[in-house]
Every structure is written in C-alpha cells, then in structure tokens.
Amino acid sequence: MIDLKLLQKEFDHVSAQLQRKGVTAETMSVIKEKNEALKKAKASFEAAQADQNAMSKLFGVYKREGKDIAELKAKVDANKVIVSERQEAQRQAEEALTSLIMAVPNIPDANVPDGAGEEENVEIKKVLTPKTFSYTPKEHWELAETTGWIDFERGVKIAKSRFSVAFDMGARLERALINFMLDFNRERGFMEVSVPQLVNRKALEGTGQLPKFEEDLYVTTDGMYLIPTAEVPLTNLYQDEIIPEKELPIKMTGYTSCFRKEAGAAGRDTRGIIRQHQFHKVELVTISKPDESDAIFEEMVSCASDLLTALELPHRLVTLCTGDLGFSAAYTVDLEVWLPGQNTYREISSVSNTRDFQARRAKIRSKIEKKNTLLHTLNGSSLAVGRTIVAIMENNQNEDGTVNIPEVLKPYLGL
RNA sequence: GGACAGCUGGCCGAGUGGUCGAAGGCGCACGCCUGGAACGCGUGUGUGGGGCAACCCACCUAGGGUUCGAAUCCCUAGCUGUCCA
C-alpha cells in the first residue's frame, strides 16, 4: 500500500512515479480527492462524537448533584442522530478510498528503467559461458521422454493441463535440489522455516496478491487460498507485530509448493514444465530495517546467483523495467538461466525489494529510535525447482538424450 | 461433533456500567548510585488518525446490539485451553 501521507505531501512526485507503473493521472487525482473527502468526513464525525462524549460525561455529574437529566437526555438524543449520519458518511468515504488504494502498485525506485515489458529489461551481467553443442540441443520435453524423468500425459490424466508427474531420477532430482538449495541458503544465514501452504485472505492482502489478483489464485470451499509463493506465508509470519530491533534482520528460507491458475498466461509455455499450475520453489524472505534493505537485496541476489553457479548453470542478471515490475516491488532483479534447447535465457528467480509497501499493508514494524517504524520486506526465489531441472536437463544433455547430474547434487542422490 | 472456560498494552496480569487508555509487574529508555557493573532508587514508556498547537477521535480478539455512557451487559464469529463423544 502506498503511503497516503507521502501522497498528500508530495502529490506531484508520487503521482509521476506511479504513472510510470501505468497508474493514470486521473486515478491519482481521484485518490487525492477521495482522501481529502475522507479527512473532512472524519473530522466532522469526530466533532459530533466529541460533543456526545462531553454530554455523556455530564450525566455522572448531574446524578451526583441530584439534578434533573431530562433536558440533557433530549439534547443527547438529538445529537445521536447526527453522529450516526456522519458515521455512515465517513464509512462510505473510507470504503471508496480503500478500494482504490489497495489496487495501486508500489512506487518504483528512481533507478528502475522505464519500459513497456520484458523486452526492455536491462541486463546487468552474465555469469558462466553457455557451452556449445556439436548437434542441435534438445528442448527439455524431448529429454523428458528419453530420460523418462517427466510424464506430461499422466499429469493431465489425473489433474488437467499444466500438471505433470516426475518419475524415478526426475523425482529424486527434485528432492535433491530442494535439500541442496535449503542447505545452501541456510549456510548464507537464512533460517529454514516450514509454513502452511494454505493461507487466509488477510495474508494475501498483506503481501499484495489480493484484492487485485484474485483470478490467479486457487481458493478452497472454506475460503482458504493455496499459496502462489512461499513469500505469502513467510512475510506474513510477522504481520501485525512490533519486532524487537535486536532480532532484525529476519532472514528466512522455506520450501513450498506453489499454486497458480496462470489466468493471464493462456497459450504461453504450454509445452513442458516451465509454466505449471503447481510447482516447487525454495524462497528467501527477509524483513529488515529500512537502511539495511539495499545491502540485503544484494546478498539475496548473490545467494541465488551463486546457487546457479554451483549447479554450473550459465545465467544472467537483469533489472526489471517499470512495465515488467510486479505489483508490490519497488525494485526487482531477475535471474535468467540459459536454456540451450530454447536458445534463450529464461527467468528462474526473481528478487524484489518491496520497501515498506507490504509492511504497511501487513503492519510489520519495529521500534527504532523510540518510534514505530515500518520495516522493509524482501523476497526472492532461490530457486524455482522445476525450472532448475529444465535448465539441468538442457545444459547437461548428451547427444543420445541422456543427462548428466551436476557434481554438487551427487551426494544428495547417493551417487 | 458436544459441553465448559478464556482472549486486556512489547510481554505477564488487575479491572463487572460513568475522568479506565486502562492498577501492578516484567521488559525497555534515561538519570542517580559505582572505579566499572549487578543490585537498589527515581523518572519516563501502547497503537493508529486529525490539528501549527492546546487538544480531539478511535482501539481492551473481530463484527453487531443494549445504554445518555461499555474493557465491563447481550448476540454472532474466530482463536486458545480443558473435558466428553
């Protein structure tokens, strides 16, 4: 959620920054209007209420002094009508504003490049050089068949499209990767946490998936939601808390399944396991003091990048432009892994600093220098498991359709 | 699934209709004491919003209700605990 006080104080600046993320000038001025209307409605309601409170207090005095309360009661009764009218006006004004601002994305950092979409993301650097093949490298779904690691048809049979089944070494590789990633992250100072994979609405509002992206979430019959990422439960662990300063930063890593309807992705990546309704991911989440978040962001990017390097996977780092930046992020670096079969780099991790955007929604604070201060929340994948398997398959493939296991994973596979 | 009990500030805990935003304690901050500390003593210390300020409003799990007035009474929901099935 954006800071309404900041908006009020520096409307032109905030408005301009948000317009970079596609919020219209019109929406901004409506928000400004609604905010002012709410303040007026609130002041008028509170004034009536102050009258009410003052008169109510007199009852105690009158009673003690044995005075007649009939006249006072008539006055209070008349005021009560005014109070309830103004209360309703305030409630409506509040609702109008809230529904607007909950759907406003975070303000992008000043150094985020402008751009319409992923084509305009800016490369930071490449890590490791892709190896050259003496033949045309196969795509992972072809290798899925020769290795027998992934079965797409049976996934569809028992669920529907965009579900798959991992068999034998495919399944073992998944488990090995999860353990390897968790251990790697833990050695970098991230505490391992195991969280629920169903959460309530409030949690999703806290991290920004709701109310705007309801159509991409699976919901259960009793109103719980399947998590689209471990970022949701991990970040919301500290919802509505005032965290002692000495406990900061809180650096966590967790493995969960993730569930996404992929509502807006019809026709994209329909083959293979790049875009599934259910996938495994190891996530990093940090809650930090505001002045530490930039340094921690770099740590998180390095963690994910070094993980890819340890797996011997060539990749590159890109800064997302305004058009590709997510709803809650102020700044995001994507890690894209080289897929020789597709002859391109594909996203395998996304590390974001949301600054105080989620903290404001979720009320995550700490008392810093005697003042309750909204903290910064950061999240990043380290890494998406399915896509890592894709990358391993395509980068480590042999001409006969077999795939070599990366050295670092062998201990995890008993090899 | 049924019965009962509870849910109060960073934490613990008192408070059963009228200066209660809430005693007391812990914790924390500052000061005194000390060579330095601990102990002890003193002072301060909830959150959010509005206002230049005085000050005002809201918040005792949440949402409703009764009342001039609710932490306190009533209803509903959630959660926690205990017992029963």
Side-chain angles (χ1 to χ4, degrees):
Chain A
M1 193 160 66
I2 55 161
D3 185 351
L4 281 172
K5 270 188 180 164
L6 183 71
L7 180 80
Q8 191 181 314
K9 241 174 42 199
E10 298 174 39
F11 179 78
D12 292 338
H13 175 250
V14 172
S15 173
Q17 289 304 99
L18 281 170
Q19 283 176 53
R20 296 174 66 210
K21 280 260 284 239
V23 181
T24 63
E26 198 194 338
T27 304
M28 292 309 298
S29 69
V30 173
I31 289 172
K32 192 184 182 189
E33 254 169 56
K34 299 267 186 203
N35 187 33
E36 274 156 19
L38 172 62
K39 274 167 70 175
K40 265 188 208 147
K42 225 173 180 164
S44 133
F45 165 57
E46 284 179 6
Q49 201 145 36
D51 290 345
Q52 187 82 3
N53 289 344
M55 284 190 271
S56 285
K57 275 185 186 161
L58 285 179
F59 275 86
V61 179
Y62 277 35
K63 240 169 107 181
R64 243 172 287 145
E65 294 174 354
K67 282 197 208 163
D68 180 32
I69 57 165
E71 195 189 335
L72 183 61
K73 185 158 164 34
K75 263 165 80 179
V76 173
D77 285 343
N79 192 58
K80 253 181 124 170
V81 180
I82 299 172
V83 170
S84 70
E85 278 171 9
R86 292 185 182 176
Q87 180 174 30
E88 177 57 20
Q90 186 216 290
R91 200 193 55 77
Q92 283 179 13
E94 193 155 30
E95 215 174 80
L97 180 66
T98 305
S99 68
L100 274 175
I101 59 165
M102 284 298 274
V104 173
N106 199 358
I107 300 166
D109 276 7
N111 56 355
V112 171
D114 282 309
E118 61 179 307
E119 320 71 48
E120 291 177 74
N121 293 342
V122 177
E123 183 177 302
I124 302 167
K125 65 170 175 181
K126 287 193 170 79
V127 181
L128 301 181
T129 314
K131 76 175 148 200
T132 49
F133 289 84
S134 57
Y135 58 97
T136 308
K138 296 184 182 68
E139 303 228 32
H140 77 276
W141 55 80
E142 300 173 75
L143 296 161
E145 225 164 285
T146 53
T147 55
W149 290 0
I150 306 165
D151 186 327
F152 301 103
E153 283 78 15
R154 289 194 171 90
V156 175
K157 181 161 74 180
I158 59 166
K160 64 176 212 171
S161 63
R162 288 198 196 281
F163 284 90
S164 60
V165 180
F167 278 98
D168 193 33
M169 187 52 86
R172 291 173 62 198
L173 197 55
E174 216 172 73
R175 184 159 53 88
L177 274 169
I178 291 161
N179 283 332
F180 171 64
M181 290 169 182
L182 285 170
D183 286 345
F184 191 95
N185 296 339
R186 193 161 40 79
E187 276 162 26
R188 298 281 173 118
F190 294 87
M191 176 182 45
E192 188 173 337
V193 184
S194 175
V195 288
Q197 302 190 18
L198 264 69
V199 294
N200 56 33
R201 261 196 93 81
K202 199 174 169 195
L204 287 150
E205 283 169 358
T207 31
Q209 284 77 16
L210 287 180
K212 219 184 162 186
F213 304 103
E214 179 115 39
E215 71 285 350
D216 203 35
L217 296 168
Y218 288 102
V219 59
T220 68
T221 49
D222 59 351
M224 300 284 287
Y225 291 81
L226 276 71
I227 57 169
T229 159
E231 168 198 342
V232 178
L234 285 172
T235 307
N236 280 288
L237 288 175
Y238 294 90
Q239 173 199 96
D240 210 9
E241 290 193 29
I242 296 169
I243 304 168
E245 192 178 349
K246 58 175 184 278
E247 288 175 25
L248 297 171
I250 298 173
K251 295 164 72 179
M252 297 173 281
T253 185
Y255 150 73
T256 68
S257 290
C258 302
F259 304 89
R260 299 182 185 179
K261 283 194 176 172
E262 295 293 351
R268 289 179 70 191
D269 305 310
T270 46
R271 290 198 79 174
I273 59 163
I274 290 280
R275 198 173 297 275
Q276 299 266 287
H277 287 307
Q278 176 181 350
F279 60 96
H280 305 296
K281 184 156 63 70
V282 174
E283 184 79 359
L284 301 175
V285 165
T286 303
I287 297 170
S288 85
K289 292 200 258 182
D291 59 4
E292 287 178 335
S293 71
D294 284 318
I296 286 166
F297 180 85
E298 295 306 325
E299 270 181 48
M300 289 167 69
V301 171
S302 300
C303 184
S305 174
D306 293 349
L307 197 39
L308 284 167
T309 304
L311 290 163
E312 302 164 66
L313 294 171
H315 58 282
R316 62 172 194 163
L317 277 60
V318 298
T319 298
L320 296 198
C321 70
T322 50
D324 205 22
L325 200 59
F327 180 78
S328 298
Y331 179 60
T332 296
V333 167
D334 268 11
L335 280 80
E336 298 180 344
V337 70
W338 175 252
L339 297 183
Q342 295 195 8
N343 195 36
T344 186
Y345 285 96
R346 292 298 306 260
E347 180 195 332
I348 193 166
S349 169
S350 193
V351 182
S352 299
N353 188 346
T354 78
R355 304 222 176 268
D356 63 8
F357 184 82
Q358 292 179 331
R360 182 171 295 105
R361 290 174 160 242
K363 297 200 184 78
I364 302 170
R365 296 156 297 169
S366 180
K367 193 166 287 227
I368 296 170
E369 278 156 25
K370 293 186 180 178
K371 271 189 68 183
N372 282 338
T373 309
L374 291 171
L375 295 171
H376 281 193
T377 63
L378 304 97
N379 62 80
S381 14
S382 177
L383 302 157
V385 177
R387 291 188 181 187
T388 307
I389 290 177
V390 169
I392 289 171
M393 290 171 89
E394 294 200 8
N395 282 281
N396 294 9
Q397 62 178 287
N398 303 308
E399 193 162 8
D400 62 1
T402 57
V403 172
N404 303 330
I405 304 291
E407 283 304 317
V408 289
L409 291 182
K410 286 185 176 169
Y412 287 89
L413 291 160
L415 297 175

